[in-house]
Amino acid sequence: AAVARAVGATKVYGAGDTAVRALDDVTVAFPTSRFTAIMGPSGSGKSTLMHCVAGLDTLTAGEAYVGDVALGTLSDRQLTLLRRTQIGFVFQAFNLVPTLTVRENITLALDLAGREPDRDWLDALIATVGLGDRLHHRPAELSGGQQQRVAVARALASRPRIVFADEPTGNLDSHAGGEILGFMRRAVDELGQTVVMVTHDPLATGWTDSAIFLADGRVVDELDAPTPDTVL
Ligand code: ADP
Ligand code: ADP
């Protein structure tokens, strides 16, 4: 079954002569406990697709679903609640809070929501991310790769139904990028998480279960078990 889906998703920015059709009748499913890459050239609609399925933006036509919930039927308030409780986000910039420790950054969203973190889940996450000896350090004391690992752990802390990562390795060298991809792979294999990643990097697809290719707002290809060779 799919954790999230887009059905006939169409997104038009602006109107009249300057209108841009960023998504044109896109139907895709993101299956449970799978790592999916969204690929395609710059401007092909990758970010728009991710944002609309993640409830950060709304479609012009068609529908996006998280679980069985059609996002278009939700109020802004319900959408915010769904994002907070069911969706994790990882961005290219790590966006950590510099004054908080690694541990505090990881549990920040739960703390703000007054939710008690699941201890076993957090322990499993911290063991998987390999930051056990850094929990009381601050972001400035970590390498870029380590900071991004904290950002991924933060996205997973509430045990969301799905995690969306937008170019998560875009600011990292290939070694640190490989570590992040390996961590997301383990989050899928060992923790059962569902991860969707927008990426430009054909090498990154080697870590994923499937890749969806967009061009001009349309799905032009879908590959299972992609490798850098089949993608290039
Ligand atoms: P990608 O992530 O593949 O680079 P985007 O989803 O960012 O592509 O953009 C798809 C198309 O929509 C592009 O032509 C882009 O210029 C346009 N676009 C994206 N966001 C906006 C916006 N807020 N307003 C107007 N046009 C936009
Ligand atoms: P990784 O490959 O895990 O991203 P690096 O090889 O870049 O890590 O860094 C090696 C070690 O140096 C790390 O354990 C990290 O704590 C430390 N380090 C890296 N960058 C900085 C920095 N800007 N300030 C302090 N310590 C750093």
Side-chain angles (χ1 to χ4, degrees):
V3 173
R5 289 180 294 142
V7 179
T10 296
K11 174 71 175 181
V12 179
Y13 289 109
D17 288 350
T18 58
V20 174
R21 190 169 284 261
L23 293 179
D24 187 5
D25 195 21
V26 168
T27 297
V28 290
F30 301 117
T32 308
S33 299
R34 290 285 185 276
F35 189 1
T36 305
I38 302 175
M39 295 201 68
S42 188
S44 59
K46 302 183 297 295
S47 298
T48 301
L49 175 61
M50 197 185 83
H51 289 166
C52 289
V53 178
L56 292 167
D57 201 351
T58 55
L59 290 167
T60 308
E63 189 58 280
Y65 299 84
V66 172
D68 295 330
V69 177
L71 301 191
T73 66
L74 301 182
S75 65
D76 284 350
R77 216 178 136 201
Q78 289 171 318
L79 205 53
T80 302
L81 189 66
L82 176 125
R83 277 200 310 269
R84 274 198 198 137
T85 57
Q86 305 201 26
I87 299 177
F89 294 99
V90 179
F91 301 99
Q92 192 169 339
F94 321 128
N95 295 329
L96 301 178
V97 181
T99 54
L100 299 182
T101 65
V102 164
R103 193 188 178 87
E104 288 164 344
N105 267 285
I106 292 173
T107 60
L108 179 63
L110 292 166
D111 293 342
L112 288 176
R115 286 168 64 196
E116 203 53 45
D118 178 330
R119 294 258 147 231
D120 291 343
W121 175 248
L122 271 191
D123 289 346
L125 204 52
I126 287 162
T128 307
V129 80
L131 288 168
D133 58 342
R134 303 275 168 191
L135 287 181
H136 304 292
H137 288 65
R138 287 178 214 284
E141 300 171 298
L142 304 179
S143 69
Q146 290 172 330
Q147 289 186 53
Q148 188 64 308
R149 275 189 265 162
V150 176
V152 178
R154 176 184 56 188
L156 294 166
S158 65
R159 207 165 192 162
R161 289 168 70 99
I162 186 163
V163 173
F164 291 98
D166 198 350
E167 299 272 2
T169 61
N171 277 334
L172 301 176
D173 62 37
S174 61
H175 169 74
E179 284 187 344
I180 288 299
L181 295 164
F183 172 41
M184 294 199 290
R185 183 69 253 170
R186 287 204 299 281
V188 172
D189 289 341
E190 296 166 22
L191 305 172
Q193 287 284 300
T194 303
V195 181
V196 175
M197 166 176 69
V198 166
T199 183
H200 270 104
D201 181 4
L203 290 175
T205 58
W207 300 84
T208 65
D209 295 301
S210 62
I212 292 163
F213 295 83
L214 297 182
D216 294 328
R218 290 175 161 268
V219 176
V220 292
D221 203 1
E222 293 191 55
L223 269 184
D224 282 333
T227 66
D229 288 344
T230 55
V231 167
L232 276 168

